[in-house]
Amino acid sequence: MKDRFASYHSIEEFITDDEFFRMAKTTFREEPGKREAFFSTFENKMAIMEDAFSLINSIQITQPEVSDTEIMKNLDALKQEASALKRRRIFFQITAACIFISFLLGGIGYYQYTGREPERNLLTQLTETEFSKNEIELKIGKESILLLPSSTILQQKDGSLKVGKEGTRIIPFTENEDILLSTPKGKRISLQLNDGSVIRLNGGSKLIYPSTFDKKKREVYAEGELFLEVTKNEERPFFVNTHSLQVKVTGTGFNVKSNKEDEYTEVVLVTGSVEVTTDKQVISILKPNDCLHYENGEIAIYEVDVNDYIWWKEGFLKVKRATLKEIAEKLSDYYQVEIEFRSPPTPTYYSGKFELGKTIEEALESLSLIEPFRYSKKGNKIIIY
């Protein structure tokens, strides 16, 4: 057996070996110590063996009625994936009716009307300011700085900013200056304010915040989707202003999504108490797991799995019982490409996660392993056959 394993050079060879497959599903899974000891005897093949082990154990047949044909179909797909993997891991859970892959998100908030209107000129500025369509951009006065997704933005106690990878650049403090931050679709960034609060911007989002907060309040203006972890300070409440709602935060973490183009704002509560207001009126008090959707003056509240709404801050896109066409719409929006179907897609349902850092090609290749389809790309357009 050891001689046979020593002759293997690919993941496909390991996962199609009956003995390795059996050991991966039993001994190697139940006794990690034995697996590590056994794999270590093949020092130059440990990485391949670990990938093969992970791939085998990602398969679960969840319905006993699955036919031999269905099993073989998915095993063939697994073999194809093994050939293409090259250290890239994709996890599958296969059922007879649909294919599941998996997901996460979180937020806590306290929203309260404060009897004060946000500065509409700043919200207008947020919408009308032109930002880079391809890069994360920080604007301070007349200065514009383009940042990589791996960059950090840290506001220090004196108001100055450390920006760039590992804070390699210092931007001096300028009093009474509004700072604008924008992320294009497909890229995200985190900002830490000098009060300790952290704001994460999803792709396609904008934020305005002051170089220094007022002594009585902390206030920002936002558009798009943001996750905020606000440092508690009841004497200096934190305000988040969107085009349709105003939020008062006393110190907690929460998710806000507000798109002016779509004219809606969405609030999903994980824990705590939330009071949502607009036009000087309380419109709803939410309980955990409630989702409030506010659009064109209409309110809809329904119970949700909050984990479906905040995975993005961990770097994933989640779908749940979605068709290929629905997934394509999400990928089209995220990667800023046009996707066209030349023929109706198969009625397969997908649930799962994709790393948002992947290219559109990698995402489509992963999907095509589950339910085969062909595609071509020309410029900014993808055609699925």
Side-chain angles (χ1 to χ4, degrees), residues 140-178:
I140 306 173
K142 295 182 179 181
E143 186 173 9
S144 178
I145 303 166
L146 299 181
L147 301 171
L148 296 172
S150 58
S151 300
T152 57
I153 305 175
L154 174 63
Q155 187 181 42
Q156 302 185 95
K157 291 296 182 181
D158 63 1
S160 63
L161 295 177
K162 293 178 70 174
V163 301
K165 192 172 183 180
E166 299 179 353
T168 53
R169 179 175 177 181
I170 304 293
I171 300 175
F173 167 73
T174 303
E175 193 171 3
N176 299 322
E177 190 76 75
D178 290 323

Side-chain angles (χ1 to χ4, degrees), residues 208-227:
I208 292 182
Y209 67 98
S211 56
T212 183
F213 285 125
D214 186 273
K215 292 182 179 180
K216 294 183 178 180
K217 67 180 185 294
R218 298 167 289 169
E219 192 163 26
V220 301
Y221 296 80
E223 182 179 300
E225 186 166 22
L226 302 91
F227 184 85

Side-chain angles (χ1 to χ4, degrees), residues 92-315:
F92 298 94
Q93 180 183 13
I94 303 167
T95 70
C98 51
I99 297 99
F100 293 89
I101 317 172
S102 82
F103 256 359
L104 159 69
L105 260 215
I108 310 168
Y110 179 73
Y111 297 62
Q112 180 183 43
Y113 177 65
T114 63
R116 46 188 298 286
E117 287 290 322
E119 294 186 39
R120 293 294 167 186
N121 61 322
L122 287 179
L123 291 172
T124 300
Q125 181 184 359
L126 196 64
T127 300
E128 295 180 353
T129 299
E130 291 189 8
F131 292 95
S132 169
K133 294 182 179 179
N134 302 310
E135 303 297 336
I136 298 169
E137 186 172 8
L138 185 69
K139 288 179 178 285
I140 306 173
K142 295 182 179 181
E143 186 173 9
S144 178
I145 303 166
L146 299 181
L147 301 171
L148 296 172
S150 58
S151 300
T152 57
I153 305 175
L154 174 63
Q155 187 181 42
Q156 302 185 95
K157 291 296 182 181
D158 63 1
S160 63
L161 295 177
K162 293 178 70 174
V163 301
K165 192 172 183 180
E166 299 179 353
T168 53
R169 179 175 177 181
I170 304 293
I171 300 175
F173 167 73
T174 303
E175 193 171 3
N176 299 322
E177 190 76 75
D178 290 323
I179 301 172
L180 288 74
L181 179 62
S182 171
T183 54
K185 290 180 179 179
K187 296 181 180 180
R188 306 174 313 282
I189 198 165
S190 293
L191 157 72
Q192 183 171 325
L193 302 172
N194 58 11
D195 69 340
S197 299
V198 176
I199 303 177
R200 304 184 191 190
L201 281 72
N202 199 0
S205 300
K206 303 174 184 178
L207 176 74
I208 292 182
Y209 67 98
S211 56
T212 183
F213 285 125
D214 186 273
K215 292 182 179 180
K216 294 183 178 180
K217 67 180 185 294
R218 298 167 289 169
E219 192 163 26
V220 301
Y221 296 80
E223 182 179 300
E225 186 166 22
L226 302 91
F227 184 85
L228 298 92
E229 297 170 281
V230 177
T231 300
K232 186 173 182 179
N233 187 339
E234 295 182 0
E235 295 180 356
R236 295 176 73 202
F238 197 105
F239 295 93
V240 180
N241 299 292
T242 73
H243 289 281
S244 57
L245 297 175
Q246 186 180 69
V247 177
K248 178 184 177 183
V249 186
T250 57
T252 188
F254 60 98
N255 198 74
V256 175
K257 186 173 184 179
S258 179
N259 289 308
K260 190 168 190 256
E261 291 179 359
D262 297 329
E263 298 183 344
Y264 79 85
T265 297
E266 200 165 67
V267 176
V268 178
L269 180 65
V270 178
T271 62
S273 178
V274 169
E275 185 175 283
V276 183
T277 65
T278 186
D279 298 328
K280 301 182 181 180
Q281 294 180 350
V282 175
I283 60 175
S284 184
I285 297 175
L286 305 183
K287 64 181 185 298
N289 300 314
D290 278 352
C291 173
L292 180 145
H293 185 95
Y294 180 78
E295 185 172 2
N296 297 325
E298 299 292 327
I299 304 166
I301 300 174
Y302 40 93
E303 188 172 334
V304 297
D305 179 352
V306 295
N307 289 329
D308 290 342
Y309 287 79
I310 53 174
W311 277 93
W312 67 265
K313 71 184 183 71
E314 304 298 339

